[in-house]
Amino acid sequence: MTVRGRFITLEGIDGAGKSSHVSYIADRVREKGRHVVETREPGGTKAGEAVRAIVLHEAMDVRTEAFLMFGARTEHVVRVIEPALAAGDWIVCDRFTDSTFAYQCGGHSLPRAMFEALERAFEPAPKPDATFLFDLAPELAFERQRGQQRTPDRFEREQIDFFRRVREAYLERARNDPKRVHVVDASGPLDQVRANLERLLVPVLA
Ligand code: Z5A
């Protein structure tokens, strides 16, 4: 019988540096001889990537944004995540449901109960086995993003108070689920953050 794979997610405010660590985690899993699927949200499927292009760049009501995130996630779970886990693969996913609770409920103050109901009703959403939350002050994240050459997307144009609420919502998720959510201090230089991550990753890979 195939042993179900494991599901690892990375979370954090924009500019926390989590995308810099996706392939590192995937490589560490491969070293264990496991097959890995690297993916992201919103995205991960053809329809999900189309939704991503819309939510990152088109103006819309915050509820529209929230429902689009859930629609993209349903595709992702049904077509990619569940089949891969069932086949014994490991998933390393850049953002998942915690992002919705942090951005839409924390950042945009939409009611949490609405999303908890949606989560139950529309998704056969697997719960991540482990989540790494890259945590740093929004002021520092803004400074890092200033170094980037590309045009900021809709989220990146939000004000600092929005990201303070997003960060607090993430930290609350971590406090409520400390066995799953591992908080990585992301305030130092990249190699220091990597070392912080590695310490927390070792028991997850065991
Ligand atoms: N969203 C949502 O609202 N609800 C949902 O349910 C979901 C998502 C699933 C996705 O865009 C957006 O969708 C996201 C939330 C929302 N908001 N935004 N924007 P995205 O995937 O493009 O956004 P992101 O995840 O924030 O992408 P990112 O730009 O890749 O950010 P990051 O992963 O946090 O950081 P990074 O790219 O690895 O690093 C940022 C820069 O900092 C880069 O120049 C690095 O070289 C640099 N960096 C990284 N680490 C360090 C350290 N330690 N020191 C110095 N500089 C560093």
Side-chain angles (χ1 to χ4, degrees):
M1 201 184 72
T2 308
V3 177
R4 189 174 164 83
R6 296 185 71 184
F7 184 24
I8 296 174
T9 59
L10 294 86
E11 296 282 356
I13 61 168
D14 312 63
K18 64 188 167 36
S19 302
S20 309
H21 303 281
V22 170
S23 51
Y24 176 76
I25 295 179
D27 286 345
R28 292 283 285 107
V29 176
R30 281 188 200 100
E31 283 167 16
K32 288 177 59 71
R34 307 284 183 187
H35 187 259
V36 184
V37 176
E38 285 178 57
T39 185
R40 67 174 180 181
E41 287 210 354
T45 64
K46 201 170 171 205
E49 291 295 329
V51 169
R52 179 186 180 89
I54 294 170
V55 289
L56 291 191
H57 301 291
E58 301 296 333
M60 66 186 70
D61 186 273
V62 292
R63 290 163 298 184
T64 312
E65 173 188 295
F67 292 132
L68 285 173
M69 294 292 182
F70 264 85
R73 181 162 307 129
T74 303
E75 282 298 295
H76 196 203
V77 168
V78 169
R79 293 184 192 280
V80 176
I81 296 176
E82 272 300 341
L85 290 174
D89 295 344
W90 287 46
I91 307 265
V92 178
C93 187
D94 193 342
R95 297 193 180 282
F96 194 60
T97 313
D98 292 307
S99 281
T100 313
F101 286 95
Y103 281 79
Q104 278 66 53
C105 303
H108 289 313
S109 308
L110 288 176
R112 200 177 313 185
M114 183 170 101
F115 294 97
E116 286 164 350
L118 267 178
E119 207 179 9
R120 283 193 301 273
F122 293 116
E123 288 179 62
K127 195 173 179 184
D129 295 292
T131 296
F132 295 100
L133 169 57
F134 291 82
D135 178 58
L136 89 167
E139 291 80 357
L140 190 48
F142 270 45
E143 230 167 81
R144 283 183 189 170
Q145 284 175 315
R146 234 172 265 141
Q148 293 182 325
Q149 296 302 309
R150 59 189 172 74
T151 312
D153 63 41
R154 218 162 50 76
F155 291 91
E156 291 164 345
R157 291 197 296 271
E158 289 283 358
Q159 301 299 307
I160 202 145
D161 278 348
F162 174 84
F163 290 102
R164 289 193 180 116
R165 293 195 298 277
V166 173
R167 182 193 194 193
E168 187 41 49
Y170 267 135
L171 290 172
E172 190 188 339
R173 302 266 303 164
R175 285 193 294 274
N176 290 339
D177 199 352
K179 284 207 176 103
R180 173 178 69 88
V181 184
H182 308 276
V183 181
V184 182
D185 178 352
S187 60
L190 193 58
D191 54 350
Q192 197 178 306
V193 178
R194 177 79 32 102
N196 296 341
L197 167 65
E198 177 61 24
R199 267 193 301 280
L200 296 164
L201 185 59
V202 168
V204 170
L205 297 180

